């Protein structure tokens, strides 16, 4: 077992994605010990080697896989201080054009992964407390056309956040969610590759630009920080105003 020290231990699901990479780089620079998790081995192992971190390949829709990996990390390091779920997907279709299979996949990638991470993280933190951070979307906070399935799934993440925050507050476990607007990452590439779509998407954000991975990563890092241990059950919009503000 790795001996406990003063450096926090964080488990990040979806670590090799655009936001995940930015977050892990920032956490590593702050001295955190990291376990990076995701479905694709090659980018995950490359990032882990760069940061001197552990990596584990897993499908976060599989509760047993998440339970096992998180428990193993907590055992290896002697504790777990933070768990972040960045697994997710984007589906832009109205309900009548969304197949049952697409809807179930959207729920699995976004809501089931979040629930599995809360379950595993809470088990690992019951005695020591810690911070669990999930990812929702501004589309679950305001009505955006063609976001029916993803808004439903990410709205569920918000409800999960509130209930889990209440359930685990007596154990010193904080549960919060970051709800971004559209962020310039590989996941958003199909939207941003079209010039008209990219221009329209940008115009929906009152601050006049799309998000950058660092914008979201900084908010997650803040929620992980034990200095902010009086914050729980919150949905933090990091969205250029998309979720609440209408551009002029």
């Amino acid at each position: 077992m790795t001996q406990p020290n003063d450096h926090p231990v964080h488990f990040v699901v979806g670590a090799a994605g655009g936001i995940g990479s930015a977050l892990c780089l920032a956490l590593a620079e702050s001295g955190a010990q990291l376990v990076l998790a995701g479905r694709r081995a090659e980018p995950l192992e490359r990032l882990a080697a760069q940061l001197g971190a552990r990596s584990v390949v897993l499908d976060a829709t599989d509760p047993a896989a998440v339970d096992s990996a998180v428990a193993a990390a907590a055992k290896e390091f002697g504790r777990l201080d933070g768990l972040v779920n960045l697994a997710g997907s984007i589906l832009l279709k109205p309900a009548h054009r969304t197949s049952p299979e697409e809807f179930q996949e959207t729920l699995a990638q976004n809501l089931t992964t979040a629930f599995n991470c809360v379950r595993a993280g809470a088990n690992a933190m019951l005695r020591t407390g810690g911070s669990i951070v999930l990812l929702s979307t501004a589309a679950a906070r305001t009505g955006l056309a063609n976001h029916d399935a993803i808004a439903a799934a990410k709205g569920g993440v918000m409800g999960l956040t509130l209930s889990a925050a209440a359930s685990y507050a007596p154990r010193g476990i904080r549960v919060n969610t970051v709800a971004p607007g559209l962020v310039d990452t590989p996941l958003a590439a199909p939207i941003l590759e079209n010039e008209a779509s990219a221009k329209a998407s940008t115009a929906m954000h009152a601050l006049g630009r799309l998000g950058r991975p660092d914008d979201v990563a900084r908010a997650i890092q803040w929620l992980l920080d034990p200095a902010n241990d009086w914050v729980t059950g919150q949905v933090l919009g990091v969205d250029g105003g998309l979720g609440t503000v209408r551009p002029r």
Side-chain angles (χ1 to χ4, degrees):
M1 176 190 295
T2 301
Q3 292 301 310
N5 55 42
D6 293 334
H7 300 291
V9 179
H10 299 308
F11 191 105
V12 182
V13 176
I19 295 171
S21 297
L23 173 65
C24 291
L25 178 60
L27 291 173
E29 288 179 345
S30 73
Q33 302 173 99
L34 300 175
V35 179
L36 314 184
R39 291 185 297 176
R40 296 189 298 142
E42 184 178 347
L44 197 66
E45 291 167 359
R46 186 167 58 246
L47 181 63
Q50 175 188 346
L51 301 180
R54 308 288 197 277
S55 67
V56 56
V57 177
L58 62 79
D59 179 354
T61 67
D62 180 348
V66 179
D67 284 348
S68 176
V70 172
K75 181 178 181 181
E76 177 182 357
F77 288 97
R79 70 178 195 273
L80 184 66
D81 300 291
L83 189 151
V84 181
N85 180 46
L86 299 172
S89 63
I90 298 177
L91 180 69
L92 300 184
K93 288 184 177 182
H96 75 279
R97 292 184 55 205
T98 301
S99 71
E101 294 77 18
E102 288 174 322
F103 181 61
Q104 290 303 319
E105 178 67 11
T106 300
L107 288 179
Q109 292 296 327
N110 295 278
L111 181 54
T112 301
T113 59
F115 187 88
N116 290 344
C117 286
V118 169
R119 168 192 166 93
N123 270 319
M125 299 173 184
L126 284 175
R127 290 182 296 175
T128 58
S131 176
I132 298 172
V133 183
L134 307 175
L135 204 68
S136 183
T137 173
R141 309 183 79 182
T142 188
L144 295 178
N146 301 324
H147 287 67
D148 303 21
I150 189 64
K154 291 298 196 181
V157 173
M158 292 185 185
L160 169 62
T161 298
L162 296 174
S163 186
S167 296
Y168 297 111
R171 298 282 193 161
I173 300 171
R174 300 182 294 115
V175 186
N176 294 286
T177 285
V178 174
L182 186 60
V183 181
D184 189 357
T185 67
L187 189 63
I191 301 170
L192 301 180
E193 286 170 353
N194 180 285
E195 184 178 353
S197 177
K199 184 176 180 179
S201 296
T202 301
M204 294 172 67
H205 298 74
L207 290 179
R209 69 169 175 87
L210 300 178
R212 296 183 286 262
D214 284 345
D215 294 325
V216 183
R218 283 192 296 269
I220 296 170
Q221 188 174 16
W222 187 84
L223 289 169
L224 289 172
D225 190 338
N228 303 311
D229 64 358
W230 212 43
V231 179
T232 196
Q234 301 303 307
V235 178
L236 177 59
V238 182
D239 61 6
L242 177 62
T244 52
V245 178
R246 292 293 164 265
R248 294 181 62 181

